[in-house]
């Protein structure tokens, strides 16, 4: 890849709030960001709709947990292959094919609903197919960001990429609440299908050099590449620390979102619009925190950001679980959203900085696999606990366990400082061509 003059995006030694948007100085990144936020907004409309539909059909928190388990489990299956694809083929082409396939899945969900084929099996089956496609998509999506900006603004770009995801998580669920209340479930699936057009258009408009595939004799199988990626990661304490943190995030923190519909209906007794507001609060909290994380936060030690974010996120999950009323729950979710953004963007950046370019997609695939394996298992267990002991006990207990992992990572493991290491042999990052425009 050709080297580019990165001067438009150079960060000062002590970044401030005015530096929070530096990655937007790169045309390719801006196009990708705008397309992604519009597309992910539609995805969040559908994401909020699926548990709503399942709970409407069954009235069971346990079934909501089972659905979440079966929604994310397929991602575990295909993410190693997705990592191999991200390092072997043109990442933009992989993304275009995956987005197009997701359009088909959303339209099939719409067709099933409007034709009254509303069985749990069919809905879960289609959602599972979407999960298989997502597993192929995510490694290329995450690795693609590193092609759009230079090394010195990578944290800023990753943070802004996480911000668009969380901005969509703010707008999407809130929009989803209105759609469910006034238009109906079918429209939620249509909105998601149409929204993929935004990111497809952005990918087509991004200007990149012609992709030249690397010629490798006797290329190892996907399984061998995955094993190689695990061994590679285990030798780097900073990446191991990120893996532990993301397993805790996926298995103990993120399952809280599946319980929103249960809290809205059974705990707080609010309507569909308020249900959407619970999901929107997570995204809004992240949006509020993003100027600090992308600006002054870029000057913090990454280990410090991870420590503060994990403690804040864990405390917020506990706070949501024991919230005495709806307003307190929304406040707790605002804090959780801020913590989630800081944690997710910092973990992603650490891996991007500590991995060789030739291993980028495959290591990200391991990262995604751990997150997506922990999430369905945690969701299934939390749904079962909620069925027996109630949603409050389930969510607050998981939040307390997350705080326990945080304390061990900070005080017991000795791994947290390694997150700050930038390996000097990662020359591949310095040759990325973000301004290829």
């Amino acid at each position: 890849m050709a080297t580019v003059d990165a001067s438009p995006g150079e960060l000062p030694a002590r970044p401030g709030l005015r530096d929070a948007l530096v990655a937007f100085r790169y045309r390719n990144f801006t196009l990708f960001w705008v397309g992604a936020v519009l597309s992910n907004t539609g995805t969040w409309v559908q994401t909020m709709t699926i548990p709503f539909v399942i709970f409407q059909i069954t009235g069971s928190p346990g079934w909501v947990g089972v659905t979440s388990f079966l929604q994310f489990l397929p991602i575990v299956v295909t993410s190693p292959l997705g990592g191999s694809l991200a390092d072997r083929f043109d990442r933009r082409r992989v993304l275009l094919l995956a987005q197009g396939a997701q359009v088909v899945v959303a339209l099939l969900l719409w067709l099933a609903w409007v034709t009254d084929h509303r069985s749990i099996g069919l809905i879960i089956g289609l959602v599972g197919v979407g999960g298989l496609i997502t597993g192929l998509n995510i490694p290329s999506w995450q690795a693609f960001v590193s092609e759009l900006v230079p090394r010195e603004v990578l944290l800023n770009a990753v943070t802004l990429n996480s911000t668009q995801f969380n901005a969509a998580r703010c707008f999407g669920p809130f929009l989803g609440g209105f759609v469910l209340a006034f238009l109906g479930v079918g429209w939620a699936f249509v909105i998601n299908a149409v929204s993929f057009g935004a990111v497809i258009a952005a990918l087509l408009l991004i200007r990149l050099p012609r992709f030249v595939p690397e010629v490798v004799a006797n290329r190892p199988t996907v399984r061998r590449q995955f094993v190689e990626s695990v061994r590679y990661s285990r030798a780097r304490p900073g990446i191991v620390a990120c893996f532990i943190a993301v397993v805790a995030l996926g298995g103990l923190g993120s399952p809280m979102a599946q319980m929103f519909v249960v809290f809205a209906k059974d705990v707080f007794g609010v309507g569909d619009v308020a249900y959407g507001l619970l999901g929107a609060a997570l995204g809004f909290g992240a949006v509020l925190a993003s100027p600090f994380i992308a600006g002054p936060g870029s000057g913090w030690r990454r280990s410090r950001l991870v420590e503060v974010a994990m403690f804040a996120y864990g405390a917020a999950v506990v706070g949501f679980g024991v919230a005495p009323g709806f307003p307190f729950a929304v406040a707790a979710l605002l804090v959780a959203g801020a913590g989630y953004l800081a944690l997710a963007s910092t973990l992603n950046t650490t891996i991007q900085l500590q991995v060789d370019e030739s291993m980028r997609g495959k290591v990200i695939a391991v990262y995604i696999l751990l997150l997506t394996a922990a999430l369905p298992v945690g969701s299934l267990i939390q749904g079962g606990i909620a069925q027996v002991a109630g949603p409050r006990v389930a969510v607050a207990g998981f939040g307390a366990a997350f705080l326990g992992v945080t304390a061990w990572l900070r005080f017991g493991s000795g791994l947290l400082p390694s997150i700050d290491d930038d390996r000097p042999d990662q020359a591949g990052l310095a040759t990325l061509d973000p301004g290829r425009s």
Side-chain angles (χ1 to χ4, degrees):
M1 299 180 184
T3 306
V4 67
D5 179 10
S7 58
E10 289 181 352
L11 282 171
R14 297 176 63 88
L17 288 175
R18 65 181 180 179
D19 302 301
L21 304 179
V22 66
F24 285 134
R25 298 174 190 175
Y26 297 91
R27 172 185 177 276
N28 285 344
F29 179 81
T30 302
L31 285 170
F32 186 63
W33 193 95
V34 172
V37 74
L38 293 174
S39 177
N40 281 329
T41 296
T43 299
W44 275 107
V45 171
Q46 179 171 299
T47 299
M48 292 292 289
T49 300
I50 295 299
F52 175 88
V53 167
I54 297 301
F55 194 66
Q56 185 181 66
I57 294 173
T58 67
S60 168
W63 264 111
V64 173
V66 169
T67 303
S68 183
F69 175 79
L70 296 175
Q71 178 179 358
F72 289 100
L73 184 64
I75 301 176
V76 179
V77 176
T78 54
S79 59
L81 176 58
S84 179
L85 294 175
D87 288 335
R88 185 176 179 182
F89 297 104
D90 184 347
R91 291 165 184 161
R92 177 168 60 171
R93 181 165 296 182
V94 173
L95 292 174
L96 284 168
L97 291 173
Q99 302 306 303
Q102 291 286 28
V103 172
V104 175
V105 172
L107 290 176
L108 288 175
L109 282 166
W110 167 78
L111 184 63
W113 187 263
V114 298
T115 57
D116 287 327
H117 292 83
R118 302 176 182 181
S119 69
I120 295 177
L122 180 58
I123 293 172
I124 291 177
L126 289 172
V127 169
V129 172
L132 291 172
I133 299 167
T134 299
L136 299 174
N137 174 79
I138 293 178
S140 290
W141 185 287
Q142 298 292 343
F144 191 60
V145 174
S146 69
E147 298 185 38
L148 306 177
V149 296
R151 176 188 177 91
E152 57 268 22
V153 297
L154 185 58
L155 175 59
N156 182 264
V158 170
T159 300
L160 290 175
N161 186 49
S162 297
T163 300
Q164 65 79 13
F165 177 82
N166 284 282
R169 186 164 61 175
C170 172
F171 305 137
F174 194 58
L175 173 61
F178 277 97
V179 171
L180 293 174
F182 300 108
L183 297 178
V185 170
W187 275 99
F189 298 135
V190 171
I191 288 171
N192 184 37
V194 172
S195 72
F196 283 107
V199 73
I200 290 173
L203 288 166
L204 292 173
L205 289 171
I206 288 173
R207 294 201 293 264
L208 296 171
R210 182 176 177 271
F211 174 77
V212 180
E214 181 183 4
V215 179
V216 178
N218 300 319
R219 186 181 296 274
T221 64
V222 172
R223 178 182 175 277
R224 287 183 59 190
Q225 290 182 59
F226 180 75
V227 172
E228 177 190 359
S229 303
V230 173
R231 290 174 178 168
Y232 176 93
S233 302
R234 287 177 60 186
R236 289 156 176 78
I239 295 179
V240 172
C242 291
F243 284 177
I244 294 171
V246 83
V247 167
L249 180 64
L252 299 172
S254 297
M256 166 182 65
Q258 71 169 338
M259 290 289 110
F260 288 170
V261 65
V262 183
F263 272 78
K265 301 297 183 183
D266 290 355
V267 177
F268 302 129
V270 295
D272 297 339
V273 174
Y275 163 57
L277 184 59
L278 288 177
L282 272 175
F284 190 56
V287 171
L288 290 177
S290 62
F292 170 79
I293 298 167
S298 300
W300 281 33
R301 287 182 292 110
R302 292 196 299 273
S303 60
R304 179 64 173 167
L305 268 176
V306 169
E307 177 186 346
V308 172
M310 289 188 74
F311 276 113
Y313 185 78
V317 172
V318 174
F320 176 76
V322 300
F326 184 79
F328 190 96
V330 170
L333 291 176
L334 290 172
V335 176
Y340 185 97
L341 175 66
L343 180 58
S345 59
T346 306
L347 296 179
N348 192 314
T349 299
T350 298
I351 291 176
Q352 298 270 19
L353 291 175
Q354 293 191 0
V355 71
D356 294 298
E357 175 62 24
S358 62
M359 296 293 294
R360 184 180 307 280
K362 292 184 285 290
V363 171
I364 289 176
V366 177
Y367 175 82
I368 298 302
L369 183 146
L370 291 172
L371 173 63
T372 53
L375 180 53
V377 172
S379 298
L380 187 64
I381 296 173
Q382 188 179 82
I385 295 173
Q387 186 73 33
V388 175
R392 287 188 180 277
V393 172
V395 172
F398 269 49
F402 183 89
L403 287 174
V405 174
T406 303
W408 176 81
L409 195 61
R410 170 61 178 87
F411 301 108
S413 69
L415 288 171
L416 204 58
S418 61
I419 288 178
D420 298 322
D421 296 338
D422 287 341
R423 290 175 54 81
D425 60 333
Q426 309 307 309
L429 275 170
T431 63
L432 297 177
D433 185 2
R436 306 190 230 184
S437 51

